[in-house]
Every structure is written in structure tokens, then in C-alpha cells.
Amino acid sequence: NAGVMQNPRHLVRRRGQEARLRCSPMKGHSHVYWYRQLPEEGLKFMVYLQKENIIDESGMPKERFSAEFPKEGPSILRIQQVVRGDSAAYFCASSARGSGSYNEQFFGPGTRLTVL
Amino acid sequence: AQTVTQSQPEMSVQEAETVTLSCTYDTSESNYYLFWYKQPPSRQMILVIRQEAYKQQNATENRFSVNFQKAAKSFSLKISDSQLGDTAMYFCASASVGAGSYQLTFGKGTKLSVIP
């Protein structure tokens, strides 16, 4: 049973370009969370999605960032017009379900984004 | 809103000895979970142990145990018989349970070095 997959593992972009980060949840999981880890910091929540729905985007910057989790295919975190401050590790986690009780979030290996 | 504080940026311990990592948290929720995650140099987030707030008994997982003091909002991690493979960043985290998302709130981490 494959774990949470993220690709690419490393991504280099120049300022002003777009970054697309992909996350394939564990088999049977329909809930996805995105977190960002700045250097020397803990992970910070960005967005929580279920298939075709954004449930909570309270941690997402209002501009340049967007996320989706389509009916088919991986979840995508998109950063437009990247700036140096976007350089970070971006982690995706998936869980089986999110309401009524807590279900463990399983983390992917992360994508390290470097903005030149 | 939840906050998690780890006051020890770095710690070290001799191999085979015992070490305790501190964590305090603040939450207005009555139903929540607490976690310790390990992040080795590979950056993969690994769940070490979790505690349901409504359970008075402290969780244990092999060499890892917690001291959960609910009134003091304290949640420390004890690692017994430390091994070289325990060298990693350790993050304390919380999640509320109920309506809405189940985002994890992380502390800034404690860097643990196990010395041979």
C-alpha cells in the first residue's frame, strides 16, 4: 500500500514563475491537507480539501496561492509569480475522513521549493 | 485558535540515556488530540505518539512515553534508552476534534542529538 506521494521532490523556480506541487493521497483517503515549513520552523497549516471541495483555506495566503483536489487525479498546490519568501518545504498529508473523530494524517515526503 | 510552544530549541543526550522534551499548548477546545512527530534529516514526518485529551492515562509506544498534564496544558515526551536513530527534530502538535477541519498546529521543534 503506497504512502502519500508528492512530486516533484525538489523544484527550482525563478522569481515570477509558477510552481505546481502535486500530492497523491494514500489509497482510500479522500482528505488532503497542505502544510508549509519555512527554514528552522515547524509546519504551518495552509489548506484542507476533500474531493472537489475546499473545506478550510484559513492558512493560505490570499494572493498567488491556490489549491485544488479534483475528482480524478492528485491534489495540486499552485503558487503564481513566486517570490524568494516562498522558498520552503511543502508537505501534503492525507486522512481517511475528517468529521466526527480524528483520523491520523499521513505525511508525504515533501516538496522542497527553491526560488532563485 | 490553538498554540503550541516548545521552549527547548536543541537538546542532546548520551546513547542509552533518557531524555525529556517539553511542550505546552493552549486551546479553547474541550475535545482535542496531542501528538509528537519526529522529522529525521530525510524530512519525512513520522508520528511518534498521540494522546487523546479525554484519556487520563499517558500514552506509551515502546521507548516513547508522554506526561500529559491537562490542567497545566503540558505534554512532554520521554525517550528511554536513547538510540542514535532517535537523532531528529521533534515537533509537538495539537488538533481539535469537531466540526470543521482537523488541521494540526505545530510547535517550532526541538533538535535532539543522540551522542554515541
Side-chain angles (χ1 to χ4, degrees), chain A residues 21-78:
Chain A
L21 288 62
R22 286 176 291 277
C23 168
S24 296
M26 285 180 68
K27 188 176 181 181
H29 286 187
S30 58
H31 297 250
V32 164
Y33 298 77
W34 285 94
Y35 295 86
R36 176 166 66 174
Q37 185 178 30
L38 296 171
E40 311 300 323
E41 295 280 326
L43 280 68
K44 293 276 197 296
F45 167 77
M46 299 181 74
V47 62
Y48 164 45
L49 310 102
Q50 296 176 22
K51 286 280 188 183
E52 301 184 278
N53 285 303
I54 297 175
I55 307 302
D56 181 358
E57 57 182 345
S58 60
M60 191 97 94
K62 292 290 185 277
E63 298 179 353
R64 302 188 297 108
F65 286 72
S66 62
E68 63 177 10
F69 189 14
K71 187 177 180 181
E72 301 291 337
S75 175
I76 307 285
L77 179 67
R78 182 183 178 204

Short mmCIF file of all heavy atoms in Angstrom, two decimals, chain A residues 21-78:
data_model
loop_
_atom_site.label_atom_id
_atom_site.label_comp_id
_atom_site.label_asym_id
_atom_site.label_seq_id
_atom_site.Cartn_x
_atom_site.Cartn_y
_atom_site.Cartn_z
N LEU A 21 2.76 22.01 -7.32
CA LEU A 21 3.16 20.92 -6.47
C LEU A 21 2.01 19.91 -6.45
O LEU A 21 0.85 20.29 -6.27
CB LEU A 21 3.44 21.41 -5.04
CG LEU A 21 4.71 22.22 -4.80
CD1 LEU A 21 4.73 23.54 -5.57
CD2 LEU A 21 4.86 22.49 -3.31
N ARG A 22 2.37 18.63 -6.59
CA ARG A 22 1.34 17.60 -6.69
C ARG A 22 1.39 16.64 -5.50
O ARG A 22 2.47 16.34 -4.98
CB ARG A 22 1.49 16.82 -7.99
CG ARG A 22 1.04 17.58 -9.22
CD ARG A 22 1.29 16.79 -10.50
NE ARG A 22 2.72 16.68 -10.78
CZ ARG A 22 3.44 17.61 -11.38
NH1 ARG A 22 2.87 18.75 -11.76
NH2 ARG A 22 4.72 17.42 -11.61
N CYS A 23 0.21 16.19 -5.12
CA CYS A 23 0.10 15.27 -3.99
C CYS A 23 -0.93 14.20 -4.31
O CYS A 23 -2.09 14.50 -4.60
CB CYS A 23 -0.33 16.03 -2.73
SG CYS A 23 -0.83 14.96 -1.36
N SER A 24 -0.49 12.94 -4.25
CA SER A 24 -1.42 11.82 -4.41
C SER A 24 -1.63 11.19 -3.05
O SER A 24 -0.67 10.68 -2.45
CB SER A 24 -0.85 10.79 -5.40
OG SER A 24 -0.73 11.35 -6.68
N PRO A 25 -2.85 11.22 -2.52
CA PRO A 25 -3.08 10.68 -1.17
C PRO A 25 -2.96 9.17 -1.15
O PRO A 25 -2.90 8.50 -2.18
CB PRO A 25 -4.52 11.12 -0.88
CG PRO A 25 -5.16 11.27 -2.21
CD PRO A 25 -4.08 11.74 -3.14
N MET A 26 -2.93 8.64 0.05
CA MET A 26 -2.92 7.20 0.21
C MET A 26 -4.21 6.62 -0.37
O MET A 26 -5.25 7.28 -0.38
CB MET A 26 -2.81 6.82 1.68
CG MET A 26 -1.42 7.01 2.26
SD MET A 26 -1.33 6.56 4.00
CE MET A 26 -1.58 4.79 3.90
N LYS A 27 -4.15 5.39 -0.78
CA LYS A 27 -5.31 4.72 -1.35
C LYS A 27 -6.44 4.70 -0.33
O LYS A 27 -6.24 4.37 0.85
CB LYS A 27 -4.95 3.29 -1.75
CG LYS A 27 -6.03 2.56 -2.52
CD LYS A 27 -5.55 1.20 -2.96
CE LYS A 27 -6.64 0.47 -3.75
NZ LYS A 27 -6.21 -0.88 -4.19
N GLY A 28 -7.62 5.12 -0.77
CA GLY A 28 -8.77 5.13 0.13
C GLY A 28 -8.95 6.42 0.91
O GLY A 28 -9.96 6.60 1.58
N HIS A 29 -7.97 7.31 0.82
CA HIS A 29 -8.07 8.60 1.52
C HIS A 29 -8.67 9.65 0.59
O HIS A 29 -8.26 9.78 -0.55
CB HIS A 29 -6.69 9.07 1.98
CG HIS A 29 -6.16 8.30 3.14
ND1 HIS A 29 -5.00 8.66 3.79
CD2 HIS A 29 -6.62 7.21 3.79
CE1 HIS A 29 -4.78 7.82 4.79
NE2 HIS A 29 -5.75 6.92 4.80
N SER A 30 -9.63 10.41 1.14
CA SER A 30 -10.26 11.45 0.33
C SER A 30 -10.09 12.84 0.92
O SER A 30 -10.73 13.79 0.48
CB SER A 30 -11.75 11.14 0.17
OG SER A 30 -12.37 11.06 1.44
N HIS A 31 -9.22 12.94 1.96
CA HIS A 31 -9.00 14.23 2.61
C HIS A 31 -7.51 14.56 2.50
O HIS A 31 -6.65 13.72 2.78
CB HIS A 31 -9.40 14.17 4.09
CG HIS A 31 -10.86 13.90 4.28
ND1 HIS A 31 -11.73 14.84 4.77
CD2 HIS A 31 -11.61 12.81 4.03
CE1 HIS A 31 -12.94 14.34 4.81
NE2 HIS A 31 -12.90 13.10 4.38
N VAL A 32 -7.23 15.78 2.09
CA VAL A 32 -5.85 16.21 1.89
C VAL A 32 -5.59 17.53 2.62
O VAL A 32 -6.44 18.43 2.60
CB VAL A 32 -5.56 16.37 0.38
CG1 VAL A 32 -4.28 17.17 0.16
CG2 VAL A 32 -5.45 15.01 -0.30
N TYR A 33 -4.45 17.61 3.25
CA TYR A 33 -4.01 18.83 3.94
C TYR A 33 -2.67 19.25 3.33
O TYR A 33 -1.83 18.40 3.03
CB TYR A 33 -3.78 18.57 5.43
CG TYR A 33 -4.99 18.14 6.21
CD1 TYR A 33 -5.47 16.83 6.14
CD2 TYR A 33 -5.66 19.03 7.04
CE1 TYR A 33 -6.57 16.42 6.87
CE2 TYR A 33 -6.77 18.62 7.78
CZ TYR A 33 -7.21 17.33 7.69
OH TYR A 33 -8.31 16.93 8.41
N TRP A 34 -2.49 20.55 3.19
CA TRP A 34 -1.20 21.09 2.78
C TRP A 34 -0.62 21.92 3.93
O TRP A 34 -1.33 22.73 4.55
CB TRP A 34 -1.33 21.98 1.55
CG TRP A 34 -1.54 21.22 0.26
CD1 TRP A 34 -2.72 20.92 -0.34
CD2 TRP A 34 -0.52 20.70 -0.60
NE1 TRP A 34 -2.50 20.23 -1.51
CE2 TRP A 34 -1.16 20.09 -1.69
CE3 TRP A 34 0.88 20.69 -0.56
CZ2 TRP A 34 -0.46 19.47 -2.74
CZ3 TRP A 34 1.58 20.09 -1.59
CH2 TRP A 34 0.91 19.49 -2.67
N TYR A 35 0.68 21.73 4.17
CA TYR A 35 1.40 22.48 5.19
C TYR A 35 2.67 23.05 4.57
O TYR A 35 3.24 22.46 3.65
CB TYR A 35 1.80 21.56 6.36
CG TYR A 35 0.66 20.99 7.15
CD1 TYR A 35 0.04 19.81 6.75
CD2 TYR A 35 0.22 21.60 8.33
CE1 TYR A 35 -1.01 19.27 7.49
CE2 TYR A 35 -0.82 21.06 9.07
CZ TYR A 35 -1.42 19.90 8.65
OH TYR A 35 -2.47 19.36 9.39
N ARG A 36 3.13 24.16 5.13
CA ARG A 36 4.39 24.76 4.67
C ARG A 36 5.36 24.82 5.84
O ARG A 36 4.97 25.18 6.96
CB ARG A 36 4.12 26.17 4.12
CG ARG A 36 5.39 26.90 3.70
CD ARG A 36 5.10 28.12 2.86
NE ARG A 36 4.39 29.16 3.56
CZ ARG A 36 4.14 30.36 3.04
NH1 ARG A 36 4.53 30.63 1.80
NH2 ARG A 36 3.48 31.26 3.72
N GLN A 37 6.59 24.47 5.57
CA GLN A 37 7.65 24.54 6.58
C GLN A 37 8.74 25.48 6.11
O GLN A 37 9.50 25.14 5.20
CB GLN A 37 8.22 23.16 6.89
CG GLN A 37 9.23 23.17 8.03
CD GLN A 37 9.77 21.79 8.35
OE1 GLN A 37 9.85 20.92 7.49
NE2 GLN A 37 10.12 21.57 9.61
N LEU A 38 8.82 26.64 6.74
CA LEU A 38 9.91 27.56 6.46
C LEU A 38 11.17 27.07 7.18
O LEU A 38 11.06 26.33 8.17
CB LEU A 38 9.54 28.97 6.92
CG LEU A 38 8.36 29.60 6.17
CD1 LEU A 38 7.92 30.89 6.84
CD2 LEU A 38 8.73 29.87 4.72
N PRO A 39 12.35 27.49 6.75
CA PRO A 39 13.59 27.05 7.41
C PRO A 39 13.55 27.31 8.91
O PRO A 39 13.14 28.38 9.35
CB PRO A 39 14.66 27.89 6.71
CG PRO A 39 14.08 28.19 5.36
CD PRO A 39 12.60 28.34 5.58
N GLU A 40 13.98 26.31 9.68
CA GLU A 40 14.07 26.41 11.14
C GLU A 40 12.71 26.62 11.81
O GLU A 40 12.63 27.12 12.93
CB GLU A 40 15.01 27.55 11.56
CG GLU A 40 16.35 27.55 10.86
CD GLU A 40 17.14 26.28 11.10
OE1 GLU A 40 17.07 25.73 12.21
OE2 GLU A 40 17.81 25.81 10.15
N GLU A 41 11.63 26.26 11.15
CA GLU A 41 10.31 26.44 11.72
C GLU A 41 9.54 25.12 11.73
O GLU A 41 9.92 24.16 11.07
CB GLU A 41 9.51 27.47 10.89
CG GLU A 41 10.07 28.87 10.90
CD GLU A 41 9.70 29.62 12.15
OE1 GLU A 41 8.60 29.40 12.68
OE2 GLU A 41 10.54 30.42 12.63
N GLY A 42 8.43 25.11 12.47
CA GLY A 42 7.51 23.98 12.40
C GLY A 42 6.61 24.11 11.18
O GLY A 42 6.64 25.12 10.47
N LEU A 43 5.81 23.10 10.95
CA LEU A 43 4.89 23.14 9.82
C LEU A 43 3.70 24.05 10.14
O LEU A 43 3.21 24.08 11.27
CB LEU A 43 4.37 21.73 9.51
CG LEU A 43 5.28 20.81 8.70
CD1 LEU A 43 6.50 20.40 9.48
CD2 LEU A 43 4.50 19.58 8.24
N LYS A 44 3.26 24.78 9.10
CA LYS A 44 2.12 25.66 9.26
C LYS A 44 1.03 25.22 8.30
O LYS A 44 1.28 25.05 7.10
CB LYS A 44 2.50 27.12 8.96
CG LYS A 44 3.47 27.74 9.94
CD LYS A 44 2.76 28.30 11.16
CE LYS A 44 3.59 29.28 11.95
NZ LYS A 44 4.77 28.71 12.55
N PHE A 45 -0.18 25.07 8.81
CA PHE A 45 -1.31 24.66 8.01
C PHE A 45 -1.62 25.70 6.94
O PHE A 45 -1.59 26.91 7.18
CB PHE A 45 -2.54 24.47 8.91
CG PHE A 45 -3.84 24.35 8.18
CD1 PHE A 45 -4.19 23.17 7.55
CD2 PHE A 45 -4.72 25.42 8.12
CE1 PHE A 45 -5.39 23.04 6.88
CE2 PHE A 45 -5.93 25.31 7.46
CZ PHE A 45 -6.27 24.12 6.84
N MET A 46 -1.94 25.20 5.74
CA MET A 46 -2.34 26.10 4.66
C MET A 46 -3.80 25.87 4.26
O MET A 46 -4.62 26.78 4.31
CB MET A 46 -1.44 25.89 3.44
CG MET A 46 0.02 26.17 3.69
SD MET A 46 1.01 25.95 2.20
CE MET A 46 0.56 27.41 1.28
N VAL A 47 -4.12 24.62 3.88
CA VAL A 47 -5.44 24.38 3.31
C VAL A 47 -5.83 22.93 3.52
O VAL A 47 -4.97 22.04 3.59
CB VAL A 47 -5.46 24.76 1.81
CG1 VAL A 47 -4.48 23.90 1.02
CG2 VAL A 47 -6.86 24.68 1.21
N TYR A 48 -7.15 22.71 3.63
CA TYR A 48 -7.70 21.37 3.82
C TYR A 48 -8.74 21.17 2.72
O TYR A 48 -9.64 21.99 2.55
CB TYR A 48 -8.31 21.27 5.21
CG TYR A 48 -9.27 20.11 5.46
CD1 TYR A 48 -8.97 18.82 5.03
CD2 TYR A 48 -10.44 20.31 6.17
CE1 TYR A 48 -9.83 17.77 5.28
CE2 TYR A 48 -11.31 19.27 6.44
CZ TYR A 48 -11.00 18.00 5.99
OH TYR A 48 -11.86 16.95 6.24
N LEU A 49 -8.62 20.07 1.98
CA LEU A 49 -9.52 19.80 0.88
C LEU A 49 -10.09 18.39 0.95
O LEU A 49 -9.42 17.47 1.43
CB LEU A 49 -8.79 19.93 -0.47
CG LEU A 49 -7.95 21.16 -0.73
CD1 LEU A 49 -6.47 20.88 -0.55
CD2 LEU A 49 -8.18 21.67 -2.13
N GLN A 50 -11.29 18.27 0.48
CA GLN A 50 -11.85 16.98 0.15
C GLN A 50 -12.03 16.96 -1.36
O GLN A 50 -11.89 17.98 -2.02
CB GLN A 50 -13.19 16.77 0.86
CG GLN A 50 -13.07 16.72 2.37
CD GLN A 50 -14.42 16.61 3.06
OE1 GLN A 50 -15.39 16.17 2.46
NE2 GLN A 50 -14.48 17.01 4.31
N LYS A 51 -12.38 15.82 -1.88
CA LYS A 51 -12.55 15.72 -3.34
C LYS A 51 -13.48 16.84 -3.83
O LYS A 51 -14.62 16.94 -3.38
CB LYS A 51 -13.14 14.37 -3.71
CG LYS A 51 -12.16 13.21 -3.59
CD LYS A 51 -11.24 13.14 -4.78
CE LYS A 51 -10.40 11.88 -4.75
NZ LYS A 51 -9.45 11.83 -5.87
N GLU A 52 -12.95 17.66 -4.72
CA GLU A 52 -13.69 18.74 -5.39
C GLU A 52 -14.15 19.86 -4.46
O GLU A 52 -14.91 20.73 -4.88
CB GLU A 52 -14.90 18.17 -6.15
CG GLU A 52 -14.53 17.15 -7.21
CD GLU A 52 -15.74 16.69 -8.01
OE1 GLU A 52 -16.47 15.80 -7.53
OE2 GLU A 52 -15.94 17.23 -9.11
N ASN A 53 -13.71 19.86 -3.21
CA ASN A 53 -14.13 20.92 -2.29
C ASN A 53 -12.97 21.42 -1.46
O ASN A 53 -12.15 20.65 -0.98
CB ASN A 53 -15.21 20.39 -1.32
CG ASN A 53 -16.56 20.26 -1.99
OD1 ASN A 53 -17.09 21.22 -2.53
ND2 ASN A 53 -17.10 19.05 -1.96
N ILE A 54 -12.92 22.73 -1.27
CA ILE A 54 -12.01 23.33 -0.30
C ILE A 54 -12.79 23.51 0.98
O ILE A 54 -13.80 24.21 1.02
CB ILE A 54 -11.47 24.68 -0.79
CG1 ILE A 54 -10.64 24.49 -2.06
CG2 ILE A 54 -10.63 25.34 0.30
CD1 ILE A 54 -10.16 25.79 -2.69
N ILE A 55 -12.34 22.85 2.05
CA ILE A 55 -13.06 22.89 3.32
C ILE A 55 -12.56 24.03 4.20
O ILE A 55 -13.35 24.71 4.85
CB ILE A 55 -12.93 21.55 4.07
CG1 ILE A 55 -13.33 20.38 3.17
CG2 ILE A 55 -13.74 21.58 5.35
CD1 ILE A 55 -14.75 20.47 2.64
N ASP A 56 -11.27 24.23 4.24
CA ASP A 56 -10.69 25.25 5.11
C ASP A 56 -9.43 25.78 4.45
O ASP A 56 -8.47 25.03 4.27
CB ASP A 56 -10.37 24.64 6.48
CG ASP A 56 -9.78 25.63 7.47
OD1 ASP A 56 -9.55 26.81 7.11
OD2 ASP A 56 -9.52 25.22 8.63
N GLU A 57 -9.43 27.03 4.09
CA GLU A 57 -8.24 27.64 3.48
C GLU A 57 -7.76 28.81 4.33
O GLU A 57 -7.13 29.74 3.82
CB GLU A 57 -8.52 28.08 2.04
CG GLU A 57 -9.67 29.04 1.90
CD GLU A 57 -9.94 29.41 0.43
OE1 GLU A 57 -9.07 29.14 -0.44
OE2 GLU A 57 -11.02 29.95 0.15
N SER A 58 -8.00 28.74 5.61
CA SER A 58 -7.66 29.84 6.51
C SER A 58 -6.17 30.10 6.62
O SER A 58 -5.76 31.19 7.01
CB SER A 58 -8.25 29.57 7.90
OG SER A 58 -7.73 28.37 8.45
N GLY A 59 -5.34 29.13 6.28
CA GLY A 59 -3.90 29.31 6.38
C GLY A 59 -3.24 29.68 5.06
O GLY A 59 -2.02 29.84 5.00
N MET A 60 -4.02 29.82 4.04
CA MET A 60 -3.48 30.08 2.71
C MET A 60 -3.34 31.60 2.50
O MET A 60 -4.29 32.34 2.76
CB MET A 60 -4.45 29.53 1.66
CG MET A 60 -3.86 29.53 0.29
SD MET A 60 -3.20 27.94 -0.09
CE MET A 60 -4.61 27.31 -0.92
N PRO A 61 -2.19 32.05 2.01
CA PRO A 61 -2.09 33.46 1.64
C PRO A 61 -3.18 33.84 0.63
O PRO A 61 -3.54 33.03 -0.22
CB PRO A 61 -0.69 33.55 1.01
CG PRO A 61 0.07 32.42 1.63
CD PRO A 61 -0.94 31.32 1.81
N LYS A 62 -3.68 35.05 0.75
CA LYS A 62 -4.84 35.45 -0.06
C LYS A 62 -4.49 35.60 -1.53
O LYS A 62 -5.34 35.41 -2.40
CB LYS A 62 -5.41 36.77 0.47
CG LYS A 62 -6.04 36.66 1.85
CD LYS A 62 -7.34 35.88 1.79
CE LYS A 62 -8.06 35.84 3.12
NZ LYS A 62 -7.55 34.82 4.00
N GLU A 63 -3.26 35.93 -1.82
CA GLU A 63 -2.88 36.16 -3.21
C GLU A 63 -1.84 35.13 -3.64
O GLU A 63 -1.06 34.62 -2.84
CB GLU A 63 -2.29 37.57 -3.36
CG GLU A 63 -3.29 38.66 -3.03
CD GLU A 63 -2.69 40.06 -3.17
OE1 GLU A 63 -1.46 40.16 -3.38
OE2 GLU A 63 -3.44 41.04 -3.05
N ARG A 64 -1.87 34.80 -4.87
CA ARG A 64 -0.89 33.97 -5.59
C ARG A 64 -1.00 32.48 -5.29
O ARG A 64 -0.46 31.68 -6.04
CB ARG A 64 0.55 34.44 -5.33
CG ARG A 64 0.83 35.88 -5.69
CD ARG A 64 2.31 36.23 -5.59
NE ARG A 64 2.79 36.08 -4.22
CZ ARG A 64 3.59 35.10 -3.81
NH1 ARG A 64 4.00 34.17 -4.66
NH2 ARG A 64 4.00 35.04 -2.55
N PHE A 65 -1.64 32.10 -4.20
CA PHE A 65 -1.72 30.68 -3.83
C PHE A 65 -3.13 30.14 -4.12
O PHE A 65 -4.12 30.80 -3.82
CB PHE A 65 -1.42 30.49 -2.34
CG PHE A 65 0.03 30.62 -1.98
CD1 PHE A 65 0.64 31.86 -1.97
CD2 PHE A 65 0.78 29.49 -1.64
CE1 PHE A 65 1.99 31.99 -1.64
CE2 PHE A 65 2.12 29.62 -1.30
CZ PHE A 65 2.72 30.86 -1.30
N SER A 66 -3.18 28.93 -4.64
CA SER A 66 -4.47 28.26 -4.83
C SER A 66 -4.25 26.76 -4.71
O SER A 66 -3.13 26.26 -4.87
CB SER A 66 -5.09 28.61 -6.18
OG SER A 66 -4.26 28.17 -7.25
N ALA A 67 -5.33 26.06 -4.41
CA ALA A 67 -5.24 24.60 -4.26
C ALA A 67 -6.50 23.98 -4.83
O ALA A 67 -7.58 24.59 -4.81
CB ALA A 67 -5.06 24.21 -2.80
N GLU A 68 -6.34 22.77 -5.32
CA GLU A 68 -7.49 22.02 -5.81
C GLU A 68 -7.28 20.54 -5.56
O GLU A 68 -6.15 20.07 -5.42
CB GLU A 68 -7.71 22.27 -7.30
CG GLU A 68 -6.57 21.82 -8.20
CD GLU A 68 -6.86 22.04 -9.67
OE1 GLU A 68 -7.85 22.71 -10.01
OE2 GLU A 68 -6.09 21.51 -10.48
N PHE A 69 -8.37 19.82 -5.53
CA PHE A 69 -8.33 18.38 -5.37
C PHE A 69 -9.45 17.84 -6.24
O PHE A 69 -10.58 17.66 -5.80
CB PHE A 69 -8.53 18.00 -3.92
CG PHE A 69 -8.30 16.54 -3.60
CD1 PHE A 69 -7.66 15.69 -4.50
CD2 PHE A 69 -8.73 16.01 -2.39
CE1 PHE A 69 -7.44 14.35 -4.20
CE2 PHE A 69 -8.51 14.68 -2.08
CZ PHE A 69 -7.88 13.85 -2.98
N PRO A 70 -9.16 17.60 -7.52
CA PRO A 70 -10.22 17.22 -8.46
C PRO A 70 -10.73 15.80 -8.20
O PRO A 70 -10.12 15.03 -7.46
CB PRO A 70 -9.52 17.31 -9.82
CG PRO A 70 -8.07 17.13 -9.51
CD PRO A 70 -7.85 17.72 -8.15
N LYS A 71 -11.84 15.50 -8.83
CA LYS A 71 -12.44 14.18 -8.68
C LYS A 71 -11.47 13.08 -9.09
O LYS A 71 -11.39 12.02 -8.47
CB LYS A 71 -13.72 14.11 -9.51
CG LYS A 71 -14.53 12.84 -9.31
CD LYS A 71 -15.81 12.89 -10.12
CE LYS A 71 -16.64 11.63 -9.93
NZ LYS A 71 -17.88 11.67 -10.74
N GLU A 72 -10.74 13.34 -10.15
CA GLU A 72 -9.73 12.39 -10.61
C GLU A 72 -8.37 13.07 -10.57
O GLU A 72 -8.24 14.22 -10.93
CB GLU A 72 -10.03 11.95 -12.06
CG GLU A 72 -11.39 11.27 -12.24
CD GLU A 72 -11.46 9.91 -11.57
OE1 GLU A 72 -10.38 9.31 -11.36
OE2 GLU A 72 -12.57 9.46 -11.25
N GLY A 73 -7.37 12.35 -10.13
CA GLY A 73 -6.02 12.89 -10.14
C GLY A 73 -5.59 13.45 -8.80
O GLY A 73 -6.36 13.46 -7.83
N PRO A 74 -4.34 13.94 -8.76
CA PRO A 74 -3.78 14.39 -7.50
C PRO A 74 -4.30 15.75 -7.07
O PRO A 74 -4.89 16.49 -7.86
CB PRO A 74 -2.27 14.45 -7.80
CG PRO A 74 -2.22 14.81 -9.26
CD PRO A 74 -3.39 14.06 -9.87
N SER A 75 -4.02 16.10 -5.83
CA SER A 75 -4.26 17.46 -5.36
C SER A 75 -3.10 18.32 -5.85
O SER A 75 -1.95 17.88 -5.93
CB SER A 75 -4.31 17.49 -3.84
OG SER A 75 -4.42 18.82 -3.37
N ILE A 76 -3.41 19.55 -6.22
CA ILE A 76 -2.40 20.48 -6.73
C ILE A 76 -2.37 21.72 -5.85
O ILE A 76 -3.41 22.31 -5.56
CB ILE A 76 -2.74 20.93 -8.17
CG1 ILE A 76 -2.96 19.74 -9.09
CG2 ILE A 76 -1.67 21.88 -8.70
CD1 ILE A 76 -1.71 19.02 -9.51
N LEU A 77 -1.17 22.10 -5.45
CA LEU A 77 -0.95 23.40 -4.81
C LEU A 77 -0.21 24.26 -5.82
O LEU A 77 0.85 23.88 -6.30
CB LEU A 77 -0.13 23.27 -3.53
CG LEU A 77 0.18 24.58 -2.80
CD1 LEU A 77 -1.10 25.18 -2.23
CD2 LEU A 77 1.19 24.35 -1.67
N ARG A 78 -0.80 25.39 -6.17
CA ARG A 78 -0.27 26.24 -7.22
C ARG A 78 0.16 27.57 -6.62
O ARG A 78 -0.60 28.21 -5.88
CB ARG A 78 -1.34 26.44 -8.29
CG ARG A 78 -0.93 27.27 -9.47
CD ARG A 78 -2.14 27.42 -10.38
NE ARG A 78 -1.86 28.24 -11.54
CZ ARG A 78 -2.78 28.90 -12.22
NH1 ARG A 78 -4.05 28.81 -11.86
NH2 ARG A 78 -2.45 29.62 -13.27
#
